[in-house]
Amino acid sequence: MLHLIKKDFLIQKRNLAVAVAFIVFLNLFAKQGSTFAFVLSVLGVTYILVLGSGDIEQKNDCNIILVSLPIKRSTIVLSKYLSIVIFAILAVVVDLVVQRVIMIFGLPVEAQTIPSEIIVLSLVGAAIYCSVVLPLTYKFNVMTANVAGGALLLLLLGSSDFLLERIPVFLSDSNISDFQIALAVISFAVVIMLISYLISLKLFKDREF
Amino acid sequence: MTLPLRVHNLSKEYKDFSLTDVSFTLKNNSVMGFIGPNGSGKSTTIKLIMNLVKRDSGQIELFGLDNLKDEKRIKQKIGFVFDENHFHETLTVHEMKNVIRGFYDQWDENLFQKYVHDFELPLKKQIKDLSKGMKMKFSLAIALSHNADLLIMDEPTSGLDPLVRSEFIDILKLYVQDKNKSVFFSTHITSDLEKIADQITLIYKGKIIFTRNKDELMAKHCLVRGNPDALDTMGEQMFIGLKKDQHEFVGLAERNDYLENELGNQVSVERATLEDIAVFYIEGVKSHVAFD
């Protein structure tokens, strides 16, 4: 499985560079503030890298190579979902580093310490976002998935102000502890990922090459 | 010793093509050439063996194991070469090798480096910049570097020049010197098979026409040419396949005393190449001429 994830890094060196540039750009120029830039960059970078590897493989029909290797199809699909987590964590780390650099060098851009709940929410958001779109790459192709992903992103962006205002108010008004909220949110993401994985697995197992 | 490959009553239906009751057996330490015209079902059969497509019915056993139930275990022992390049084009030869080697328990890096040296593979070059011949050699190096007991190849020499094809045949000859190794490969370049194959399986329109020992096949058959009058004397039923016009007939027949002694100057009897045998067997199927 680790070889499959390593492969996903190797085949998209260009996408990795674009991802870093995207994070830097958002942090320097996003007018909505550093929290918004952080959330969007984690979401966007995870999506670019997860679907980016799938796009490259579809163009070369590389899944034929993978399916002919001594590896189960379930492992191939599982590695994609594991890569969501890895790419999301990578995006968080790079983003935090960029924000730290901005603070250290005193650049005239808003930068602040990102609260842990925002980090968790970003990871969860990226996981759910990619999990919703990934089965479409197995059913149709990456291009179709990108259209759906784009529509979903527009919806999220359109409601971002509402969500970033209302969710903290709701959470502070409720009697639920931060730990319970985090647990509920993470559990929800895990359930979504599991359902998505099972759908993707069924589709990939039935696929003929 | 278990057979490296056994296919029994394999069937697969598509909208406009079907594979029907395909059966053949690859013997130990032998090279089987799988031949047939374009669209006859060669690639489909190989994809079914490799579980790239799902069979509708039938059995496929490799090393005595079912190709579905024991897929992962079987694929450790198989080296597979595709007809087209499906490697990640942006990776270098070295990077792609490192991606694949991790999946094989018996990967032999020294062996791979030996093939790199013998094939003059440029390790730092991106796969998209390799020539067709180099890509095939890279595929072969990968297939040979994890101690596979069976090589399965789908038209590996298609589009390659005669020099590269000759090198490929030499590599296969060396490979099967090990008593535990076998090769199954599809091709429509029958001249390559005359040099290396032990067995020949002919497929046409999704059905197996024959599986035979190559030397026996070639020794047993001959090409007969003559004028139409001689054909009237002989009768068409003695031919496996026949082509005729108003001036001449050419047909494939089994060697027999009648042909070679009694007909004398009426016909010419020639050695049949593997290509002749395949063409005329198919001709016989098309025109429903009876044969064994």
Side-chain angles (χ1 to χ4, degrees), chain A residues 3-4 7 10-11 13 57 60-62 64-65 67-71 73 205-209, chain B residues 12 47 50-54 72 75-76 80 82 86-91 95 99 102-104:
Chain A
H3 294 286
L4 289 171
K7 177 257 308 169
L10 278 174
I11 62 174
K13 292 170 201 161
E57 282 171 348
N60 290 337
D61 229 353
C62 298
I64 292 181
I65 293 279
V67 175
S68 71
L69 293 173
I71 179 169
R73 291 197 187 198
K205 275 191 170 178
D206 289 344
R207 184 183 282 187
E208 298 193 333
F209 294 91
Chain B
K12 173 71 179 176
K47 284 181 178 181
M50 292 300 295
N51 202 24
L52 296 175
V53 301
K54 287 186 180 180
K72 199 174 158 184
K75 283 181 175 173
Q76 286 285 349
F80 188 34
F82 297 89
H86 294 292
F87 293 118
H88 293 89
E89 299 256 302
T90 55
L91 295 186
E95 285 170 342
V99 169
F103 297 102
Y104 288 103

Side-chain angles (χ1 to χ4, degrees), chain B residues 33 62 97 143 181 189 214 250 272:
Chain B
L62 294 111
K97 178 265 297 183
K181 312 289 190 199
I189 307 175
K214 182 211 68 182
V250 182

Side-chain angles (χ1 to χ4, degrees), chain B residues 91-110:
Chain B
L91 295 186
T92 63
V93 168
H94 179 73
E95 285 170 342
M96 191 71 234
K97 178 265 297 183
N98 279 340
V99 169
I100 291 178
R101 65 173 283 182
F103 297 102
Y104 288 103
D105 298 338
Q106 293 197 52
W107 180 266
D108 188 336
E109 183 62 22
N110 290 334

Side-chain angles (χ1 to χ4, degrees), chain B:
Chain B
M1 202 174 188
T2 51
L3 293 166
L5 174 61
R6 181 180 162 269
V7 176
H8 182 66
N9 285 353
L10 183 63
S11 295
K12 173 71 179 176
E13 183 108 14
Y14 289 102
K15 213 188 322 182
D16 49 2
F17 173 80
S18 54
L19 214 62
T20 312
D21 291 334
V22 166
S23 297
F24 58 86
T25 301
L26 173 63
K27 293 178 185 172
N28 288 315
N29 192 223
S30 71
V31 177
M32 177 180 279
F34 190 39
I35 62 173
N38 293 336
S40 53
K42 301 190 297 294
S43 291
T44 302
T45 304
I46 287 177
K47 284 181 178 181
L48 283 161
I49 292 169
M50 292 300 295
N51 202 24
L52 296 175
V53 301
K54 287 186 180 180
R55 59 184 186 245
D56 292 337
S57 62
Q59 289 171 300
I60 300 171
E61 285 178 0
L62 294 111
F63 312 106
L65 303 170
D66 184 81
N67 82 320
L68 294 178
K69 289 180 198 158
D70 300 291
E71 183 179 2
K72 199 174 158 184
R73 203 168 137 197
I74 285 168
K75 283 181 175 173
Q76 286 285 349
K77 299 167 107 179
I78 295 176
F80 188 34
V81 177
F82 297 89
D83 56 341
E84 289 173 8
N85 174 55
H86 294 292
F87 293 118
H88 293 89
E89 299 256 302
T90 55
L91 295 186
T92 63
V93 168
H94 179 73
E95 285 170 342
M96 191 71 234
K97 178 265 297 183
N98 279 340
V99 169
I100 291 178
R101 65 173 283 182
F103 297 102
Y104 288 103
D105 298 338
Q106 293 197 52
W107 180 266
D108 188 336
E109 183 62 22
N110 290 334
L111 194 53
F112 179 78
Q113 292 301 330
K114 177 190 168 304
Y115 287 120
V116 165
H117 175 263
D118 292 348
F119 299 164
E120 295 176 9
L121 287 171
L123 283 173
K124 292 183 182 172
K125 214 168 185 178
Q126 285 187 319
I127 287 167
K128 65 180 169 126
D129 295 327
L130 298 178
S131 66
K132 193 171 166 63
M134 272 298 173
K135 285 177 184 173
M136 188 281 288
K137 285 182 183 178
F138 174 56
S139 294
L140 199 53
I142 294 283
L144 292 170
S145 297
H146 57 90
N147 291 306
D149 289 336
L150 173 62
L151 276 188
I152 296 179
M153 300 182 284
D154 187 7
E155 302 206 25
T157 59
S158 171
L160 299 181
D161 65 60
L163 182 63
V164 176
R165 289 204 339 255
S166 176
E167 287 176 12
F168 171 80
I169 297 296
D170 290 340
I171 292 161
L172 289 191
K173 281 181 183 172
L174 268 172
Y175 177 75
V176 290
Q177 281 181 6
D178 183 330
K179 296 276 179 236
N180 294 316
K181 312 289 190 199
S182 306
V183 178
F184 176 78
F185 77 104
S186 72
T187 182
H188 54 261
I189 307 175
T190 50
S191 53
D192 291 342
L193 293 178
E194 286 186 20
K195 295 171 194 165
I196 186 139
D198 301 300
Q199 298 170 269
I200 303 291
T201 294
L202 174 64
I203 186 169
Y204 177 63
K205 287 194 175 178
K207 291 182 185 170
I208 298 293
I209 308 300
F210 63 69
T211 298
R212 302 263 178 93
N213 175 280
K214 182 211 68 182
D215 291 333
E216 280 174 25
L217 192 67
M218 294 185 71
K220 200 177 168 188
H221 294 85
C222 59
L223 219 53
V224 182
R225 293 178 193 275
N227 63 49
D229 294 337
L231 188 58
D232 293 337
T233 311
M234 295 156 64
E236 291 187 12
Q237 65 276 5
M238 78 178 297
F239 290 98
I240 292 161
L242 187 66
K243 290 183 184 179
K244 58 183 180 179
D245 58 33
Q246 58 184 337
H247 303 295
E248 187 191 48
F249 76 89
V250 182
L252 184 78
E254 289 192 3
R255 287 187 180 275
N256 57 73
D257 290 336
Y258 175 70
L259 254 178
E260 300 194 54
N261 300 329
E262 299 208 23
L263 282 173
N265 295 330
Q266 290 185 65
V267 296
S268 72
V269 177
E270 303 164 8
R271 175 186 169 275
T273 63
L274 208 45
E275 184 176 329
D276 294 327
I277 293 168
V279 165
F280 280 98
Y281 262 91
I282 290 168
E283 202 60 40
V285 168
K286 281 184 190 174
S287 58
H288 307 290
V289 174
F291 58 86
D292 280 341

